[in-house]
Amino acid sequence: MSRWKPDARGRLEKAALELFNHQGFDATTVAEIAARAEVTERTFYRHFVDKREVLFQPNALADVLAHATAAADTPAPLEVITHALTEAAPVFEERAELVRQRQAVIAANPELQERELTKQASLVSTLDRALRERGLDATTAALAAAIGIAAFKVAFERWIDDPDQRNLAQHIRETLDATRHLTAPAEHAAATDASFQDQENVA
Amino acid sequence: MSRWKPDARGRLEKAALELFNHQGFDATTVAEIAARAEVTERTFYRHFVDKREVLFQPNALADVLAHATAAADTPAPLEVITHALTEAAPVFEERAELVRQRQAVIAANPELQERELTKQASLVSTLDRALRERGLDATTAALAAAIGIAAFKVAFERWIDDPDQRNLAQHIRETLDATRHLTAPAEHAAATDASFQDQENVA
């Protein structure tokens, strides 16, 4: 602490995530986080209410989702969602390494998982509201919002574990594309109409 | 308590839900629940670990979902899910009034909502596992499971509030049908292929 260093908040976050991962969230104290970041505890509390807030900082995600949903230039609900979620991808991509560390901490702690589920539920509400403001009926909006966040979670987990390090936006587009196949009535559904037509032509 | 009455467990559950709704979950004691059900506190604890367990009893839902997913006679993931969820509908329909009361208690209490989200996340895992056991790849299974439980939640809320009291299985089928429209590329997507074909014929 002999010399002032810039970005205390960033160093506190990095220190906290390292300690949470090395020794567990519950076992880590604010004093340890501050010491590792080479700041005082008082500085920690200028940036965060408590150690949990390091993991659940307010971020731009909900705002970006709401604005991108309002701005999407297509009437198809799944395309609106694809647009909104890919617009939100940089919120995570810009901090990929911290996001991965955070995810590992949460995966190791059931209480943090509950908090994370609550945060995800509030994102579903945000998306739901934004879709209703576009004129979607309540059921369609609720369903589209729930599917959107569900697809986002799957895309996010694929991105976190991706050995090829393709970007999150790509995973989001692939995952939402996969929902089209999923919801088709037969196994190779994309071609169903065409092949029925072919059979009729042959007959 | 002068005379033995049958179904202590059922009366305890009914008494608890009434008290939770009238005076709040936090303000209700096990002593009050037992008194209202006309049993001793000891009897309460023979049936439930604590008052929260009245709301989160183990039920057949996860087993029914897993078995129905394994047994579904179709390769299309969304149809597998529709089958599994409609098979699970009676778990709720048989106790519709208690289910509605329970829902109101949970809606009024953020801590119980967190617990409920965790329960729903575990249902997604159950469905995910059952779909992978049918041979679906990991991404498709995760996505289908998440969409299935998301659609179930929407159907469940429609059923709870339905003035026409149509059954839950109908709501599940309608909601999952709605996902087909949602995931179609254009607004009136069901007819897209056919109308493109018509235009080509006209041209």
Side-chain angles (χ1 to χ4, degrees):
Chain A
M1 260 171 277
S2 51
R3 193 165 75 84
W4 182 86
K5 292 182 184 176
D7 191 22
R9 187 184 177 92
R11 282 185 292 126
L12 280 164
E13 190 177 3
K14 184 170 175 291
L17 286 168
E18 285 165 1
L19 288 168
F20 295 162
N21 268 311
H22 291 157
Q23 64 192 39
F25 175 79
D26 289 332
T28 300
T29 65
V30 167
E32 289 171 309
I33 297 167
R36 191 177 182 98
E38 295 180 48
V39 300
T40 60
E41 280 189 64
R42 206 173 141 196
T43 299
F44 177 93
Y45 288 114
R46 267 207 295 276
H47 292 281
F48 302 102
V49 172
D50 55 24
K51 65 178 178 175
R52 204 173 75 152
E53 214 200 59
V54 181
L55 298 169
F56 295 97
Q57 299 174 50
N59 67 23
L61 185 55
D63 283 348
V64 173
L65 275 183
H67 285 119
T69 301
D73 188 23
T74 164
L78 200 73
E79 288 173 18
V80 173
I81 287 166
T82 305
H83 173 77
L85 294 174
T86 51
E87 289 284 300
V91 173
F92 299 96
E93 284 173 337
E94 283 160 8
R95 333 178 342 114
E97 189 45 40
L98 295 173
V99 166
R100 283 195 176 83
Q101 285 183 21
R102 174 183 181 276
Q103 208 61 14
V105 174
I106 289 173
N109 186 310
E111 266 179 62
L112 297 175
Q113 282 164 37
E114 290 211 355
R115 178 75 189 74
E116 181 77 345
L117 289 171
T118 302
K119 197 179 158 185
Q120 287 163 2
S122 96
L123 288 176
V124 174
S125 301
T126 297
L127 201 49
D128 181 9
R129 199 164 41 242
L131 289 167
R132 277 186 278 117
E133 280 166 11
R134 286 183 64 98
L136 257 65
D137 68 277
T139 299
T140 308
L143 192 55
I147 288 175
I149 299 302
F152 180 79
K153 280 175 71 171
V154 171
F156 184 83
E157 276 158 29
R158 286 174 44 138
W159 172 65
I160 290 270
D161 295 332
D162 186 359
D164 300 332
Q165 307 219 328
R166 287 172 311 142
N167 67 36
L168 178 56
Q170 267 178 286
H171 282 291
I172 290 168
R173 275 188 292 268
E174 283 175 20
T175 307
L176 283 159
D177 268 352
T179 65
R180 294 183 215 281
H181 295 277
L182 260 183
T183 55
E187 202 166 15
H188 301 292
T192 305
D193 278 0
S195 47
F196 279 172
Q197 217 92 35
D198 287 347
Q199 282 170 2
E200 278 170 18
N201 290 349
V202 169
Chain B
M1 263 171 272
S2 50
R3 194 163 75 81
W4 183 85
K5 291 182 184 177
D7 191 21
R9 187 183 178 92
R11 282 185 293 126
L12 280 164
E13 189 177 4
K14 185 169 176 289
L17 286 168
E18 285 166 359
L19 288 168
F20 294 162
N21 269 311
H22 291 157
Q23 65 192 37
F25 175 79
D26 289 333
T28 300
T29 65
V30 166
E32 289 171 310
I33 296 168
R36 191 176 181 100
E38 295 180 49
V39 300
T40 61
E41 281 189 64
R42 206 173 142 194
T43 300
F44 177 93
Y45 288 114
R46 266 205 297 274
H47 292 280
F48 302 102
V49 172
D50 55 24
K51 65 179 178 174
R52 203 172 76 151
E53 212 200 61
V54 180
L55 297 170
F56 296 96
Q57 300 174 52
N59 67 24
L61 186 55
D63 284 347
V64 173
L65 275 183
H67 285 118
T69 300
D73 187 23
T74 164
L78 200 72
E79 288 172 19
V80 173
I81 287 166
T82 305
H83 173 77
L85 294 174
T86 51
E87 289 283 301
V91 173
F92 299 95
E93 285 174 334
E94 283 160 7
R95 330 176 346 111
E97 188 46 40
L98 295 173
V99 166
R100 283 195 175 83
Q101 284 183 23
R102 173 184 183 278
Q103 208 60 13
V105 174
I106 288 172
N109 187 310
E111 266 180 62
L112 298 175
Q113 282 163 38
E114 289 210 355
R115 179 74 189 75
E116 182 77 345
L117 289 171
T118 302
K119 197 179 158 185
Q120 286 163 2
S122 95
L123 288 176
V124 173
S125 301
T126 298
L127 201 50
D128 182 8
R129 199 163 42 242
L131 289 167
R132 276 186 279 118
E133 280 167 12
R134 286 183 64 98
L136 257 64
D137 69 277
T139 300
T140 308
L143 191 56
I147 289 176
I149 299 301
F152 181 79
K153 279 175 72 171
V154 171
F156 184 82
E157 274 158 31
R158 286 173 44 137
W159 172 65
I160 289 271
D161 294 333
D162 186 0
D164 300 333
Q165 309 218 325
R166 287 172 312 141
N167 67 38
L168 177 57
Q170 267 179 285
H171 282 290
I172 290 168
R173 274 188 291 267
E174 282 175 19
T175 306
L176 284 159
D177 268 350
T179 64
R180 293 185 214 280
H181 295 277
L182 260 183
T183 54
E187 203 166 16
H188 302 290
T192 305
D193 277 1
S195 47
F196 278 172
Q197 215 93 36
D198 287 347
Q199 280 170 4
E200 279 170 18
N201 290 350
V202 169

